Amino acid sequence: MPTRPAGGIRVTLISRDSACVAAPGTTIPAGLISAVVLVTYGGTRPLPCSARLVATGPAGFTTDSVLVNMQPAPALFINPSFLGSGLQRAFGGSLGASNHGGTTVRVTSTNPSLLVISATDSTPGAAFVDLTIPFNGSGFTYYVQALDGFTYDSANVIATAPSFVPDTAKMVITQPVFDII
């Protein structure tokens, strides 16, 4: 086995199709035999696409390669709805994949003077809320609070998370109705 230099071993990664796959070089730390590298979409090749990623090291190390398949980003899902003026309601959303290693979903109101977002039913809403989604999690709950005095108006709620396709849902504010029979 080659000597492991004190500063580690520099590995160069070369994509055979940089429009599909991009990867930075890395250093295998001293005392270890591997390193984790974040491979990202190159940005211009239509998805899905594949590219060979070639790893080279200093003299004496064998060049190796792997075929990397890039898939379209999974989507976020939230639903449009109606909400009475001055009321709040819980809504659910989901991530299109659960293998994200933990992420944060930001749920945002496009018009916080009309409706605001909260993480709980007892917390005053704000223009946005960040929800922590644990490793292997995919579902989330948020509350939309319609401010008093607005009816027959609407605003969008947008959900975003790193490496997911955002989703937008229209929330229509109506006259609150309550009927006791």
Side-chain angles (χ1 to χ4, degrees), residues 73-79 92-97 100 103-108 131 133 137-140 142 157-169:
L76 270 162
F77 301 100
I78 57 175
N79 293 313
S94 65
L95 299 171
H100 48 72
T103 193
T104 299
V105 173
R106 175 166 281 189
V107 182
T108 305
L131 305 169
I133 311 300
S138 61
F140 57 93
Y142 60 98
V157 171
I158 301 169
T160 60
S163 301
F164 285 84
V165 177
D167 196 12
T168 301

Side-chain angles (χ1 to χ4, degrees), residues 6-101:
I9 299 169
R10 181 73 186 151
V11 177
T12 302
L13 299 172
I14 300 167
S15 174
R16 294 293 185 217
D17 183 354
S18 60
C20 177
V21 174
T26 190
T27 298
I28 300 174
L32 298 179
I33 60 171
S34 65
V36 176
V37 176
L38 178 63
V39 177
T40 59
Y41 172 53
T44 56
R45 176 85 55 226
L47 292 173
C49 62
S50 298
R52 184 145 306 271
L53 192 61
V54 179
T56 60
F61 286 83
T62 303
T63 298
D64 201 358
S65 69
V66 63
L67 184 64
V68 177
N69 297 307
M70 300 302 290
Q71 299 296 321
L76 270 162
F77 301 100
I78 57 175
N79 293 313
S81 192
F82 293 87
L83 183 61
S85 178
L87 301 177
Q88 73 174 352
R89 183 172 152 200
F91 289 90
S94 65
L95 299 171
S98 62
N99 60 344
H100 48 72

Side-chain angles (χ1 to χ4, degrees), residues 113-138:
S113 64
L114 179 63
L115 59 88
V116 290
I117 312 296
S118 177
T120 69
D121 61 354
S122 59
T123 304
F128 68 88
V129 66
D130 288 332
L131 305 169
T132 301
I133 311 300
F135 178 75
N136 285 336
S138 61

